[in-house]
Amino acid sequence: MPQLSKPRARHSSKELGRRLARRAGLSVLAVALFVVSGAGFAWHNIQSRITYFNVDSILSEEGRPGTKPPDSYDGRAVNLLVLGTDSRSGNNNVDGSEGSDEVSVARSDTALVMHISADRKRIDAVSIPRDTEVDIPECKSLDGETAEAQENQQFNSAFANGAGTGSDKKAVASGAACTWKTVETLMDIRIDDFVVVDFNGLSKVVDSLGGVHVQVDEAIDDPDYTGFQLDAGCQKLDGQAALQYARVRHGVGDGSDISRISRQQKLMSAMASKALASNVLTQSGFLTSTLETLTTSERIGQIGNLSGLAYSVQGVGMDKINFITMPHEPSENDPNHVVPTENAKKVWKALKEDKPVPADAVAPATTDAGTATEDSSSQEETSEPAEEEATTPAPQTQAPQTGSSQQPAAKPTTQTCPA
């Protein structure tokens, strides 16, 4: 890992450093809030668990939205790009595809933009379907390679363009930087930093939590591809089952990436609930498993900044974390692609102005909605009222806004699973 200078930030004060050793903080792991500190861990030990890269050299300021913000996160809204990578090597090979050149390199499987409000009272996590049709700008890698700009491409191609054929952490950072540029082009919102979570690491984190409970609304039976089976109802998942649940496409729902996003959001929320409700937050096994899954940009990879941001949002409750899927409709160019609708622009505008997402910008929940948490208040509104706009009702997952193919809403599932 390169030796990089630490950005100055008020969050990384000596007082926070002392607090880090004796109390748990709140941070981001694949749209969930997780601990970045634990009792008994030395500062340098914690820092060594995170791999971070300075990507300023491959992110030009030219054409980027907004103005360059101060190094500190303090007193302002923060937009984080959270990505999940899907290399199928080792224990990550849940679909029998290990060894294929197509999937053995670093690839993006999940993407969302996490908006943390300036007042630290709400978090909006917007999932971007990987089949979204986008224009990908020219991207450079940390190895000096250049990928040409492309039009009308799948969103997850941006990560592949940046990462190239590499599978190491540097390739992951390069892929994240290209996705970063693509998201800013798509949303016209300035992204502050990226966090990449390895899906194999996700399995380890779930195991370090002692498993998580998820309310499964529809039984899963996929004998042909993964062999994964899961009954409907409240189910406790270990790490490997959680990874399969997040990845499975066949034998449940319509087999689309959109329905899979719903399951992934449920799993993330269940993990966050378990972490927040348990004394596992101060256990070294959980801390190590969490941090070692991450590849980040430089600023948020510095433990002082990460812990400071975590400390500033520790008062955000589960009922104030709003999971949204980008409102979309089928593309006219390719029936397998989707494009943002006018409602998506309302979501972008709300994030850009640091306001609650308006209720009319998101679709009702689908049959695969409902997160397994102990707190039933997660079915309530997640945003405080604004004078100009209505707030977003916040079931833990929200279905995409589609065209004529939109399915009718189902009644929310009663949350009976423990945290």
Side-chain angles (χ1 to χ4, degrees):
M1 182 176 72
Q3 295 298 318
L4 302 168
S5 60
K6 178 178 178 180
R8 183 178 181 273
R10 278 184 284 174
H11 278 300
S12 54
S13 65
K14 291 183 179 180
E15 181 181 1
L16 284 179
R18 291 193 294 269
R19 289 174 179 169
L20 183 66
R22 67 178 185 269
R23 66 181 300 171
L26 227 54
S27 184
V28 179
L29 174 59
V31 82
L33 297 178
F34 289 106
V35 168
V36 298
S37 62
F41 261 70
W43 183 279
H44 73 275
N45 195 342
I46 299 173
Q47 182 66 78
S48 69
R49 306 290 175 175
I50 305 176
T51 301
Y52 64 88
F53 291 89
N54 185 326
V55 294
D56 290 347
S57 63
I58 57 177
L59 282 178
S60 171
E61 279 295 315
E62 183 179 356
R64 293 187 64 187
T67 57
K68 188 175 182 179
D71 286 339
S72 173
Y73 298 126
D74 192 37
R76 65 181 179 90
V78 178
N79 295 311
L80 302 178
L81 175 63
V82 182
L83 302 171
T85 54
D86 69 344
S87 172
R88 264 64 164 183
S89 60
N91 292 332
N92 222 16
N93 181 36
V94 298
D95 58 2
S97 61
E98 183 176 17
S100 167
D101 291 338
E102 182 180 355
V103 295
S104 62
V105 295
R107 290 293 179 263
S108 175
D109 188 74
T110 302
L112 61 86
V113 173
M114 174 173 283
H115 175 83
I116 303 172
S117 65
D119 61 10
R120 302 300 190 258
K121 291 184 178 180
R122 73 177 186 281
I123 295 175
D124 295 309
V126 184
S127 293
I128 303 175
R130 66 182 190 173
D131 296 333
T132 301
E133 187 175 278
V134 296
D135 292 336
I136 301 174
E138 178 184 275
C139 293
K140 295 181 180 180
S141 74
L142 291 172
D143 286 329
E145 301 294 328
T146 299
E148 295 182 357
Q150 298 180 3
E151 295 182 352
N152 301 329
Q153 298 296 309
Q154 268 190 198
F155 173 71
N156 66 331
S157 296
F159 190 96
N161 284 10
T165 59
S167 60
D168 60 6
K169 296 265 187 171
K170 183 182 287 188
V172 169
S174 298
C178 191
T179 307
W180 181 338
K181 294 179 67 174
T182 303
V183 168
E184 289 190 338
T185 301
L186 173 69
M187 300 173 64
D188 192 33
I189 295 173
R190 192 176 184 97
I191 300 298
D192 291 284
D193 284 290
F194 72 78
V195 176
V196 180
V197 184
D198 171 54
F199 262 32
N200 188 36
L202 180 145
S203 175
K204 295 178 182 178
V205 173
V206 171
D207 281 336
S208 71
L209 286 169
V212 295
H213 288 87
V214 174
Q215 184 70 33
V216 180
D217 297 324
E218 179 183 354
I220 300 171
D221 186 6
D222 180 24
D224 297 329
Y225 292 88
T226 64
F228 185 53
Q229 294 181 317
L230 193 64
D231 292 335
C234 180
Q235 303 295 339
K236 184 175 182 179
L237 308 182
D238 62 13
Q240 188 68 2
L243 181 58
Q244 290 179 304
Y245 176 77
R247 276 249 178 83
V248 68
R249 284 177 173 270
H250 307 280
V252 61
D254 59 7
S256 70
D257 183 54
I258 307 303
S259 63
R260 191 174 65 149
I261 286 175
S262 174
R263 290 188 290 276
Q264 290 173 346
Q265 290 176 339
K266 288 173 63 179
L267 178 61
M268 293 174 194
S269 189
M271 292 170 65
S273 290
K274 180 66 177 287
L276 295 175
S278 172
N279 61 6
V280 74
L281 298 182
T282 57
Q283 295 177 6
S284 62
F286 173 76
L287 175 62
T288 300
S289 297
T290 300
L291 297 184
E292 288 182 345
T293 68
L294 305 181
T295 303
T296 75
S297 50
E298 180 181 12
R299 176 169 43 194
I300 199 166
Q302 294 284 348
I303 197 65
N305 296 325
L306 182 58
S307 63
L309 181 62
Y311 183 76
S312 74
V313 299
Q314 67 175 345
V316 178
M318 288 302 299
D319 62 325
K320 299 299 181 183
I321 303 175
N322 187 25
F323 288 100
I324 302 167
T325 300
M326 181 193 80
H328 67 274
E329 62 189 5
S331 168
E332 295 180 356
N333 299 319
D334 187 331
N336 296 317
H337 291 176
V338 298
V339 294
T341 63
E342 289 299 314
N343 278 343
K345 295 179 181 179
K346 295 180 181 179
V347 176
W348 307 160
K349 185 175 185 291
L351 300 190
K352 191 172 185 178
E353 296 178 354
D354 194 25
K355 294 180 179 179
V357 176
D360 64 352
V362 292
T366 66
T367 55
D368 203 23
T371 297
T373 69
E374 188 175 52
D375 185 1
S376 62
S377 65
S378 60
Q379 295 295 332
E380 299 173 359
E381 291 186 348
T382 65
S383 304
E384 293 188 349
E387 291 181 5
E388 299 85 0
E389 299 177 281
T391 57
T392 305
Q396 291 299 325
T397 58
Q398 292 175 308
Q401 178 83 7
T402 62
S404 59
S405 61
Q406 181 174 334
Q407 297 180 356
K411 293 180 179 180
T413 301
T414 300
Q415 297 188 355
T416 57
C417 279

